[in-house]
Structure formats: structure tokens, C-alpha cells
Amino acid sequence: MGIEEKLPSGVLLTTVEGVAGYMRKASFWPATFGLACCAIEMMTSGGPKYDLARFGMEVFRASPRQADLLIVAGRVSNKMAPVLRQIYDQMAEPKWVLAMGVCASSGGMFNNYAIVQGVDHVVPVDMYLPGCPPRPEMLIDAIMKLHAQVQDTKLGSNRLAQIEELEAGALKALPTSQMRGLLR
């Protein structure tokens, strides 16, 4: 049962944004930035048991110029933060960042002067993946959720309007330091 049976007339209508979103999500090329134990789980997800190749991600790129997904796996020290920013800046647009593990997301148990308390202080993060370390299944699930985000990304002037809308929503949000209830 193929697409031919779903489309008896052989005609399919879509938008350029829809086709571009599908192509982008189907061809993620991740850059490796493994800094701690989370990197072992990231490498495992590329192996034969979990097989990221099913999603077009079989090759982790060593060059940021060939990558569009930066997976930050592990804790980021203050010495490593400028290197991370340089790698992010060298990546071509569009680019996405996934913070893998509690250390990359919030500093983890390392609440000291040497560790950056969340990689979002260095680069903008599109997806946070909790866990210490997160399992390969969790990484694949986060990548699938990022695929859904990428599929719905707008293009051109629509993208600029989408960015302005997201930034306006973020500016209206209550600062974390003022939140009460379960978050404090």
C-alpha cells in the first residue's frame, strides 16, 4: 500500500514551507559535542541497536560547517563555553541545538564556579533532554520532537513574524526567580 493508492489522480498539493520542512527534518546532520558521560549514550544511539540512520542521521559531523544540529552532551565548563559558541557560530543556518542531560540543561549537580549553569547561557537551545545520563531512547524521542518543530518552521517573512511572536511571548513570561508553587 503506497502513496499511489492514496492519490488516485496522482496529484499532490502542498506548500513550499511544507516540502522544505520535510526535507530539513529528514536530513539532520548532527555535530558532536560530547563532554561527559552523556556522550557515551549519544554514541550508542548511533550504533546498530538504536540506529539513528533510520532518520537520516547516520553520520555525526566533525565539522560544524556540515552540521545543522548541535547536540551538547554533558557539562560545559567556563573554559569550554567560548569553544562551544565558536562552533555554534560556524554552523550554517538553519541550525538547532539540543541540550542533552541535566548538566547541559542546568549545570546538574555541579553548582560551582567552573561549570556553566545551563548551556542556554552560551547558545540558544531548541530542545532540552533531562536525565543523568539520558538513555539513547530518550535522545531519539527528543530528536523526533525536534523533527516536529522543524517540520512546522516557517520560511522568509513568515519566519521573521514567527520569531517575533516567540520572542514577545518569552518577554511576557514571568522570570524564574519570581515563580512560586511547585517550581520553587
Side-chain angles (χ1 to χ4, degrees), residues 55-142:
F55 311 110
M57 299 177 57
E58 59 270 2
V59 181
F60 281 86
R61 302 293 166 180
S63 169
R65 290 174 180 87
Q66 296 176 348
D68 53 5
L69 172 63
L70 179 62
I71 302 175
V72 182
R75 59 190 177 271
V76 179
S77 66
N78 285 323
K79 280 187 171 183
M80 191 57 75
V83 176
L84 173 64
R85 185 62 200 204
Q86 182 180 12
I87 289 173
Y88 176 80
D89 289 339
Q90 289 176 352
M91 290 172 65
E93 289 287 342
K95 54 190 168 188
W96 296 275
V97 177
L98 193 150
M100 182 179 178
V102 71
C103 294
S105 299
S106 65
M109 65 190 93
F110 303 101
N111 188 10
N112 61 35
Y113 65 92
I115 302 299
V116 175
Q117 299 301 304
V119 74
D120 53 356
H121 292 287
V122 183
V123 294
V125 175
D126 297 295
M127 182 70 63
Y128 294 93
L129 175 58
C132 184
R135 298 276 307 140
E137 297 95 342
M138 295 171 67
L139 176 60
I140 291 172
D141 181 59

Coordinates of all heavy atoms in Angstrom, one line a residue, residues 55-142:
F55 N 16.6 7.8 10.5 CA 16.1 9.1 10.5 C 17.1 10.1 9.7 O 17.0 11.3 9.8 CB 15.9 9.7 11.9 CG 15.2 8.8 12.8 CD1 15.8 8.1 13.8 CD2 13.8 8.5 12.6 CE1 15.1 7.2 14.6 CE2 13.1 7.6 13.4 CZ 13.8 7.0 14.4
G56 N 18.0 9.5 8.9 CA 18.9 10.3 8.1 C 20.0 10.9 8.9 O 20.6 11.9 8.4
M57 N 20.4 10.3 10.0 CA 21.4 10.9 10.9 C 22.6 10.0 11.1 O 23.1 9.9 12.2 CB 20.8 11.3 12.2 CG 19.7 12.3 12.1 SD 18.9 12.7 13.7 CE 20.3 13.3 14.6
E58 N 22.9 9.2 10.1 CA 23.9 8.1 10.4 C 25.3 8.6 10.6 O 26.1 8.0 11.2 CB 23.9 7.1 9.2 CG 24.2 7.7 7.9 CD 23.0 8.1 7.1 OE1 21.9 8.1 7.7 OE2 23.1 8.6 6.0
V59 N 25.6 9.8 10.1 CA 27.0 10.3 10.3 C 27.0 11.5 11.2 O 26.4 12.5 10.9 CB 27.5 10.7 8.9 CG1 29.0 11.2 9.0 CG2 27.5 9.5 7.9
F60 N 27.7 11.4 12.3 CA 27.9 12.6 13.1 C 29.1 13.4 12.5 O 30.1 12.9 12.2 CB 28.3 12.2 14.6 CG 27.1 11.8 15.4 CD1 26.6 10.5 15.3 CD2 26.5 12.7 16.2 CE1 25.6 10.1 16.1 CE2 25.4 12.3 16.9 CZ 24.9 11.0 16.9
R61 N 28.8 14.7 12.3 CA 29.8 15.5 11.6 C 30.8 16.1 12.6 O 30.5 16.5 13.7 CB 29.1 16.7 10.9 CG 28.1 16.2 9.9 CD 28.8 15.5 8.7 NE 27.8 14.8 7.9 CZ 28.1 14.2 6.9 NH1 29.3 14.1 6.5 NH2 27.1 13.6 6.2
A62 N 32.1 16.0 12.2 CA 33.1 16.6 13.0 C 33.3 18.1 12.6 O 33.9 18.9 13.4 CB 34.4 15.9 12.8
S63 N 32.8 18.5 11.5 CA 32.9 19.9 11.1 C 31.6 20.6 11.3 O 30.6 20.1 10.8 CB 33.3 19.9 9.6 OG 33.2 21.3 9.1
P64 N 31.6 21.7 12.0 CA 30.4 22.5 12.2 C 29.8 23.0 10.9 O 28.6 23.3 10.8 CB 30.8 23.6 13.1 CG 32.2 23.7 13.1 CD 32.7 22.4 12.6
R65 N 30.6 23.2 9.9 CA 30.1 23.7 8.6 C 29.2 22.7 7.8 O 28.5 23.1 6.9 CB 31.3 24.2 7.7 CG 31.9 25.4 8.3 CD 33.2 25.8 7.6 NE 33.7 27.0 8.2 CZ 34.6 27.0 9.2 NH1 35.0 25.9 9.7 NH2 35.1 28.1 9.6
Q66 N 29.3 21.5 8.2 CA 28.5 20.4 7.6 C 27.3 20.0 8.5 O 26.6 19.1 8.1 CB 29.3 19.2 7.3 CG 30.4 19.5 6.3 CD 31.3 18.3 6.1 OE1 31.3 17.3 6.9 NE2 32.2 18.3 5.1
A67 N 27.1 20.6 9.6 CA 26.1 20.2 10.6 C 25.0 21.2 10.7 O 25.2 22.4 10.5 CB 26.8 19.9 11.9
D68 N 23.8 20.7 11.1 CA 22.7 21.6 11.4 C 22.1 21.4 12.7 O 21.2 22.1 13.1 CB 21.7 21.7 10.2 CG 21.2 20.3 9.9 OD1 21.5 19.3 10.6 OD2 20.4 20.2 9.0
L69 N 22.5 20.3 13.4 CA 22.0 20.0 14.7 C 23.2 19.9 15.7 O 24.1 19.0 15.4 CB 21.2 18.7 14.8 CG 20.8 18.2 16.1 CD1 19.9 19.2 16.8 CD2 20.1 16.8 16.0
L70 N 23.3 20.7 16.7 CA 24.4 20.6 17.7 C 23.8 19.9 18.9 O 22.9 20.5 19.6 CB 24.9 22.0 18.0 CG 26.0 22.1 19.1 CD1 27.2 21.3 18.6 CD2 26.4 23.5 19.4
I71 N 24.3 18.7 19.2 CA 23.9 18.0 20.5 C 25.0 18.3 21.5 O 26.1 17.7 21.4 CB 23.7 16.5 20.2 CG1 22.7 16.3 19.1 CG2 23.3 15.8 21.5 CD1 22.6 14.8 18.7
V72 N 24.7 19.1 22.5 CA 25.6 19.3 23.6 C 25.4 18.3 24.7 O 24.3 18.3 25.4 CB 25.4 20.8 24.1 CG1 26.4 21.0 25.2 CG2 25.5 21.8 23.0
A73 N 26.3 17.3 24.8 CA 26.1 16.2 25.7 C 27.1 16.3 26.8 O 28.2 16.0 26.7 CB 26.3 14.9 24.9
G74 N 26.6 16.7 28.0 CA 27.4 16.8 29.2 C 27.6 18.2 29.7 O 27.1 19.2 29.1
R75 N 28.4 18.3 30.7 CA 28.6 19.6 31.4 C 29.6 20.5 30.6 O 30.5 20.0 30.0 CB 29.1 19.4 32.8 CG 30.4 18.6 32.9 CD 30.8 18.2 34.3 NE 32.0 17.4 34.3 CZ 32.0 16.1 34.2 NH1 30.9 15.4 34.0 NH2 33.1 15.4 34.2
V76 N 29.3 21.7 30.6 CA 30.1 22.7 29.9 C 30.9 23.5 30.9 O 30.3 24.2 31.7 CB 29.2 23.6 29.0 CG1 30.1 24.6 28.3 CG2 28.4 22.8 28.0
S77 N 32.2 23.5 30.8 CA 33.0 24.3 31.7 C 33.1 25.7 31.2 O 32.9 26.0 30.0 CB 34.4 23.7 31.9 OG 35.1 23.7 30.7
N78 N 33.5 26.6 32.0 CA 33.7 28.0 31.6 C 34.8 28.1 30.5 O 34.8 29.0 29.7 CB 34.0 28.9 32.8 CG 32.8 29.2 33.6 OD1 31.7 29.3 33.1 ND2 32.9 29.2 34.9
K79 N 35.8 27.2 30.6 CA 36.9 27.2 29.6 C 36.3 26.7 28.2 O 36.8 27.1 27.2 CB 38.0 26.3 30.0 CG 39.0 27.0 31.0 CD 40.1 26.1 31.2 CE 41.2 26.8 32.0 NZ 42.4 25.9 32.1
M80 N 35.3 25.8 28.3 CA 34.8 25.3 27.0 C 33.7 26.1 26.4 O 33.4 26.0 25.2 CB 34.3 23.9 27.3 CG 34.0 23.1 26.1 SD 35.3 22.9 24.9 CE 36.3 21.7 25.8
A81 N 33.1 27.0 27.2 CA 32.0 27.8 26.7 C 32.4 28.6 25.4 O 31.6 28.6 24.5 CB 31.5 28.7 27.8
P82 N 33.5 29.3 25.4 CA 33.8 30.0 24.1 C 34.0 29.1 22.9 O 33.7 29.5 21.8 CB 35.1 30.8 24.5 CG 35.3 30.8 25.9 CD 34.5 29.6 26.4
V83 N 34.5 27.9 23.1 CA 34.7 27.0 22.0 C 33.3 26.5 21.5 O 33.1 26.5 20.3 CB 35.5 25.7 22.5 CG1 35.6 24.7 21.4 CG2 36.9 26.2 23.0
L84 N 32.4 26.3 22.5 CA 31.0 25.9 22.1 C 30.4 27.0 21.3 O 29.7 26.8 20.2 CB 30.2 25.6 23.3 CG 28.7 25.4 23.1 CD1 28.5 24.1 22.3 CD2 28.0 25.3 24.5
R85 N 30.6 28.3 21.7 CA 30.0 29.4 21.0 C 30.6 29.5 19.6 O 29.9 29.8 18.6 CB 30.2 30.7 21.8 CG 29.5 31.9 21.1 CD 28.0 31.6 21.1 NE 27.4 32.5 20.1 CZ 26.1 32.9 20.1 NH1 25.3 32.4 21.0 NH2 25.6 33.6 19.2
Q86 N 31.9 29.3 19.5 CA 32.5 29.4 18.2 C 32.0 28.3 17.2 O 31.8 28.6 16.1 CB 34.1 29.2 18.3 CG 34.8 29.4 17.0 CD 36.3 29.2 17.2 OE1 36.8 28.9 18.3 NE2 37.0 29.6 16.2
I87 N 31.8 27.1 17.7 CA 31.3 26.0 16.9 C 29.9 26.3 16.5 O 29.5 26.2 15.3 CB 31.4 24.7 17.7 CG1 32.8 24.2 17.8 CG2 30.5 23.6 17.0 CD1 33.0 23.0 18.6
Y88 N 29.1 26.9 17.4 CA 27.7 27.3 17.0 C 27.7 28.3 16.0 O 26.9 28.3 15.0 CB 27.0 27.7 18.3 CG 25.6 28.2 18.0 CD1 24.5 27.4 17.8 CD2 25.3 29.6 17.9 CE1 23.3 27.8 17.6 CE2 24.1 30.1 17.6 CZ 23.0 29.2 17.5 OH 21.8 29.6 17.2
D89 N 28.6 29.3 16.1 CA 28.6 30.4 15.1 C 29.1 29.9 13.8 O 28.7 30.5 12.7 CB 29.5 31.5 15.6 CG 29.0 32.3 16.8 OD1 27.7 32.3 17.0 OD2 29.7 32.9 17.5
Q90 N 29.9 28.9 13.7 CA 30.4 28.4 12.4 C 29.4 27.5 11.7 O 29.5 27.2 10.5 CB 31.7 27.5 12.6 CG 32.9 28.4 13.0 CD 34.1 27.5 13.3 OE1 34.0 26.3 13.4 NE2 35.2 28.2 13.5
M91 N 28.3 27.1 12.4 CA 27.3 26.3 11.7 C 26.4 27.1 10.8 O 26.2 28.3 11.1 CB 26.4 25.6 12.8 CG 27.1 24.6 13.6 SD 26.1 24.0 15.0 CE 24.7 23.2 14.1
A92 N 26.0 26.6 9.7 CA 25.2 27.3 8.7 C 23.8 27.3 9.2 O 23.3 26.5 9.9 CB 25.3 26.6 7.4
E93 N 23.1 28.4 8.8 CA 21.6 28.5 9.1 C 20.9 27.6 8.1 O 21.3 27.5 7.0 CB 21.2 29.9 8.9 CG 21.7 30.9 10.0 CD 21.0 30.7 11.3 OE1 19.9 30.0 11.4 OE2 21.6 31.1 12.3
P94 N 19.8 27.0 8.5 CA 19.2 27.0 9.8 C 19.9 26.0 10.7 O 20.4 25.0 10.2 CB 17.7 26.5 9.6 CG 17.8 25.7 8.3 CD 18.9 26.3 7.5
K95 N 19.9 26.2 12.0 CA 20.7 25.3 12.9 C 19.8 25.2 14.2 O 19.1 26.1 14.6 CB 22.0 25.9 13.2 CG 22.1 27.3 13.7 CD 23.5 27.8 13.8 CE 23.5 29.3 14.0 NZ 24.9 29.9 13.8
W96 N 20.0 24.0 14.8 CA 19.2 23.7 16.0 C 20.2 23.2 17.1 O 21.2 22.6 16.8 CB 18.1 22.7 15.7 CG 17.1 23.3 14.8 CD1 16.0 24.0 15.1 CD2 17.1 23.1 13.4 NE1 15.3 24.3 14.0 CE2 16.0 23.8 12.9 CE3 17.9 22.5 12.5 CZ2 15.6 23.9 11.6 CZ3 17.6 22.6 11.1 CH2 16.5 23.3 10.7
V97 N 19.8 23.4 18.4 CA 20.7 22.9 19.5 C 19.8 22.1 20.4 O 18.7 22.4 20.8 CB 21.3 24.1 20.3 CG1 22.1 23.6 21.5 CG2 22.1 25.0 19.4
L98 N 20.4 20.9 20.8 CA 19.7 20.0 21.7 C 20.7 19.9 22.9 O 21.8 19.5 22.8 CB 19.5 18.6 21.1 CG 18.6 17.7 21.8 CD1 17.9 16.8 20.8 CD2 19.3 16.8 22.8
A99 N 20.2 20.3 24.1 CA 21.0 20.2 25.4 C 20.7 18.8 26.0 O 19.5 18.5 26.4 CB 20.6 21.3 26.3
M100 N 21.6 17.9 25.9 CA 21.4 16.5 26.4 C 22.0 16.3 27.8 O 23.2 16.5 28.0 CB 22.2 15.6 25.4 CG 22.0 14.1 25.7 SD 22.8 13.1 24.5 CE 22.5 11.5 25.2
G101 N 21.1 16.0 28.7 CA 21.5 15.7 30.0 C 21.2 16.9 31.0 O 21.1 18.0 30.5
V102 N 21.1 16.5 32.2 CA 20.8 17.6 33.2 C 22.0 18.6 33.4 O 21.8 19.7 33.7 CB 20.4 16.9 34.6 CG1 21.6 16.3 35.3 CG2 19.8 18.0 35.5
C103 N 23.2 18.1 33.1 CA 24.4 19.0 33.2 C 24.4 20.1 32.1 O 24.7 21.2 32.4 CB 25.7 18.2 33.2 SG 25.9 17.1 34.6
A104 N 24.0 19.7 30.9 CA 24.0 20.7 29.8 C 22.8 21.6 30.0 O 22.8 22.7 29.7 CB 23.9 19.9 28.5
S105 N 21.7 21.0 30.6 CA 20.4 21.8 30.7 C 20.5 22.8 31.8 O 20.0 23.9 31.7 CB 19.3 20.9 30.9 OG 19.1 20.0 29.8
S106 N 21.1 22.4 33.0 CA 21.0 23.3 34.1 C 22.3 23.3 35.0 O 22.3 23.8 36.1 CB 19.9 22.9 35.0 OG 20.1 21.6 35.5
G107 N 23.3 22.6 34.6 CA 24.5 22.5 35.4 C 24.6 21.3 36.2 O 25.6 20.9 36.7
G108 N 23.4 20.6 36.4 CA 23.4 19.4 37.1 C 23.8 19.5 38.6 O 23.5 20.5 39.2
M109 N 24.5 18.5 39.1 CA 25.0 18.5 40.4 C 26.2 19.4 40.7 O 26.7 19.6 41.8 CB 25.3 17.1 40.9 CG 26.4 16.5 40.1 SD 26.6 14.7 40.4 CE 25.6 14.1 39.1
F110 N 26.8 19.9 39.5 CA 28.0 20.7 39.6 C 27.6 22.2 39.8 O 27.8 23.0 38.8 CB 28.8 20.5 38.4 CG 29.2 19.0 38.2 CD1 28.5 18.3 37.2 CD2 30.1 18.4 38.9 CE1 28.7 17.0 37.0 CE2 30.4 17.1 38.7 CZ 29.7 16.3 37.8
N111 N 27.2 22.6 40.9 CA 26.9 24.0 41.2 C 28.1 24.7 41.7 O 28.2 25.0 42.9 CB 25.7 24.1 42.1 CG 25.2 25.5 42.3 OD1 25.6 26.4 41.5 ND2 24.3 25.7 43.2
N112 N 29.1 25.0 40.8 CA 30.3 25.6 41.3 C 30.7 26.7 40.3 O 30.1 26.8 39.2 CB 31.4 24.6 41.6 CG 31.7 23.8 40.4 OD1 31.8 24.2 39.3 ND2 32.1 22.5 40.7
Y113 N 31.9 27.3 40.5 CA 32.4 28.4 39.7 C 32.9 27.9 38.3 O 33.0 28.7 37.4 CB 33.5 29.1 40.4 CG 34.7 28.2 40.6 CD1 35.7 28.2 39.7 CD2 34.8 27.4 41.7 CE1 36.8 27.4 39.9 CE2 35.9 26.6 42.0 CZ 36.9 26.6 41.0 OH 38.0 25.8 41.2
A114 N 33.2 26.6 38.2 CA 33.8 26.1 37.0 C 32.8 25.7 35.9 O 33.2 25.6 34.7 CB 34.8 25.0 37.3
I115 N 31.6 25.4 36.2 CA 30.6 24.8 35.3 C 29.6 25.8 35.0 O 29.0 26.5 35.8 CB 30.0 23.5 35.9 CG1 31.0 22.5 36.3 CG2 29.0 23.0 35.0 CD1 31.9 22.0 35.1
V116 N 29.3 26.0 33.7 CA 28.2 26.8 33.2 C 26.9 26.2 33.7 O 26.6 25.1 33.4 CB 28.2 27.0 31.7 CG1 27.1 27.8 31.2 CG2 29.5 27.6 31.2
Q117 N 26.0 27.0 34.3 CA 24.8 26.5 34.8 C 23.7 26.6 33.8 O 22.8 27.4 33.8 CB 24.4 27.4 36.1 CG 25.3 27.3 37.2 CD 25.5 25.8 37.7 OE1 24.6 25.2 38.1 NE2 26.8 25.4 37.7
G118 N 23.8 25.8 32.8 CA 22.9 25.7 31.7 C 23.6 26.2 30.4 O 24.1 27.3 30.4
V119 N 23.6 25.4 29.4 CA 24.2 25.8 28.1 C 23.5 26.9 27.4 O 24.0 27.6 26.5 CB 24.4 24.5 27.2 CG1 23.0 24.1 26.6 CG2 25.4 24.7 26.1
D120 N 22.2 27.2 27.8 CA 21.5 28.3 27.2 C 22.0 29.6 27.6 O 21.6 30.6 27.1 CB 20.0 28.2 27.6 CG 19.7 28.1 29.1 OD1 20.7 28.0 29.9 OD2 18.6 28.1 29.5
H121 N 23.0 29.7 28.5 CA 23.8 30.9 28.8 C 24.8 31.2 27.7 O 25.3 32.3 27.6 CB 24.5 30.9 30.1 CG 23.6 30.8 31.3 ND1 22.9 31.9 31.7 CD2 23.2 29.8 32.1 CE1 22.2 31.6 32.8 NE2 22.4 30.4 33.0
V122 N 25.1 30.2 26.8 CA 26.1 30.3 25.8 C 25.5 30.3 24.4 O 25.8 31.1 23.6 CB 27.1 29.1 25.9 CG1 28.2 29.3 24.9 CG2 27.7 29.1 27.3
V123 N 24.6 29.4 24.1 CA 23.9 29.3 22.8 C 22.4 29.1 23.1 O 22.0 28.6 24.1 CB 24.4 28.1 22.0 CG1 25.9 28.3 21.6 CG2 24.3 26.8 22.7
P124 N 21.6 29.5 22.1 CA 20.1 29.3 22.2 C 19.8 27.8 22.1 O 20.3 27.2 21.2 CB 19.5 30.2 21.1 CG 20.6 30.4 20.1 CD 21.9 30.3 20.9
V125 N 19.0 27.3 22.9 CA 18.7 25.9 23.0 C 17.2 25.7 22.4 O 16.3 26.4 22.9 CB 18.8 25.3 24.4 CG1 18.4 23.8 24.4 CG2 20.2 25.4 24.8
D126 N 17.1 24.7 21.5 CA 15.7 24.4 21.0 C 15.1 23.3 21.7 O 13.8 23.2 21.8 CB 15.9 24.0 19.5 CG 16.4 25.2 18.7 OD1 15.7 26.2 18.6 OD2 17.5 25.1 18.2
M127 N 15.8 22.4 22.3 CA 15.2 21.2 23.0 C 16.1 20.8 24.1 O 17.3 20.7 24.0 CB 15.1 20.0 22.0 CG 14.5 18.8 22.5 SD 12.7 18.9 22.8 CE 12.1 19.1 21.2
Y128 N 15.5 20.6 25.3 CA 16.1 20.1 26.5 C 15.8 18.7 26.7 O 14.7 18.3 26.6 CB 15.7 20.9 27.7 CG 16.1 22.4 27.7 CD1 15.2 23.3 27.2 CD2 17.4 22.8 28.1 CE1 15.6 24.7 27.1 CE2 17.7 24.1 28.1 CZ 16.8 25.1 27.6 OH 17.2 26.4 27.5
L129 N 16.8 17.9 27.0 CA 16.7 16.5 27.3 C 17.2 16.2 28.7 O 18.4 16.2 28.9 CB 17.4 15.6 26.2 CG 17.5 14.1 26.4 CD1 16.1 13.6 26.4 CD2 18.3 13.5 25.3
P130 N 16.3 15.9 29.7 CA 16.7 15.6 31.0 C 17.3 14.2 31.2 O 17.2 13.4 30.3 CB 15.4 15.8 31.8 CG 14.4 15.4 30.9 CD 14.8 15.8 29.5
G131 N 17.9 14.0 32.3 CA 18.4 12.7 32.6 C 19.9 12.7 33.0 O 20.6 13.6 32.6
C132 N 20.3 11.7 33.7 CA 21.7 11.7 34.1 C 22.2 10.2 34.1 O 22.1 9.5 35.1 CB 21.8 12.2 35.5 SG 23.5 12.3 36.1
P133 N 22.7 9.8 33.0 CA 22.6 10.3 31.6 C 21.3 9.8 31.0 O 20.8 8.8 31.4 CB 23.8 9.7 30.9 CG 24.1 8.4 31.6 CD 23.6 8.6 33.1
P134 N 20.8 10.6 30.1 CA 19.6 10.1 29.4 C 19.9 8.9 28.5 O 21.0 8.8 27.9 CB 19.2 11.3 28.5 CG 20.3 12.2 28.5 CD 21.3 11.9 29.6
R135 N 18.9 8.0 28.4 CA 19.1 6.8 27.6 C 19.0 7.1 26.1 O 18.5 8.2 25.7 CB 18.0 5.8 27.9 CG 18.0 5.3 29.4 CD 18.9 4.2 29.6 NE 18.6 3.1 28.7 CZ 19.6 2.4 28.1 NH1 20.9 2.6 28.4 NH2 19.3 1.5 27.2
P136 N 19.6 6.3 25.3 CA 19.5 6.5 23.8 C 18.1 6.7 23.3 O 17.8 7.4 22.4 CB 20.2 5.3 23.2 CG 21.1 4.8 24.3 CD 20.4 5.1 25.6
E137 N 17.1 5.9 23.9 CA 15.7 6.0 23.5 C 15.2 7.4 23.8 O 14.4 8.0 23.0 CB 14.9 5.0 24.3 CG 15.2 3.6 24.0 CD 16.1 3.0 25.1 OE1 16.8 3.8 25.8 OE2 16.2 1.8 25.1
M138 N 15.7 8.0 24.9 CA 15.2 9.4 25.2 C 15.8 10.4 24.2 O 15.1 11.3 23.8 CB 15.7 9.8 26.6 CG 15.0 8.9 27.7 SD 15.7 9.2 29.3 CE 15.2 10.9 29.7
L139 N 17.0 10.2 23.8 CA 17.6 11.1 22.8 C 16.9 11.0 21.5 O 16.6 12.0 20.8 CB 19.1 10.7 22.6 CG 19.8 11.5 21.5 CD1 19.8 13.0 21.8 CD2 21.3 11.0 21.3
I140 N 16.5 9.7 21.1 CA 15.8 9.6 19.8 C 14.4 10.2 19.9 O 14.0 10.9 19.0 CB 15.7 8.1 19.4 CG1 17.1 7.6 19.1 CG2 14.7 7.8 18.3 CD1 17.2 6.1 18.9
D141 N 13.8 10.1 21.1 CA 12.5 10.8 21.3 C 12.6 12.3 21.2 O 11.8 12.9 20.6 CB 11.9 10.3 22.6 CG 10.5 11.0 22.9 OD1 9.6 10.7 22.1 OD2 10.4 11.7 23.9
A142 N 13.7 12.8 21.8 CA 13.9 14.3 21.7 C 14.1 14.7 20.3 O 13.6 15.8 19.8 CB 15.0 14.7 22.6

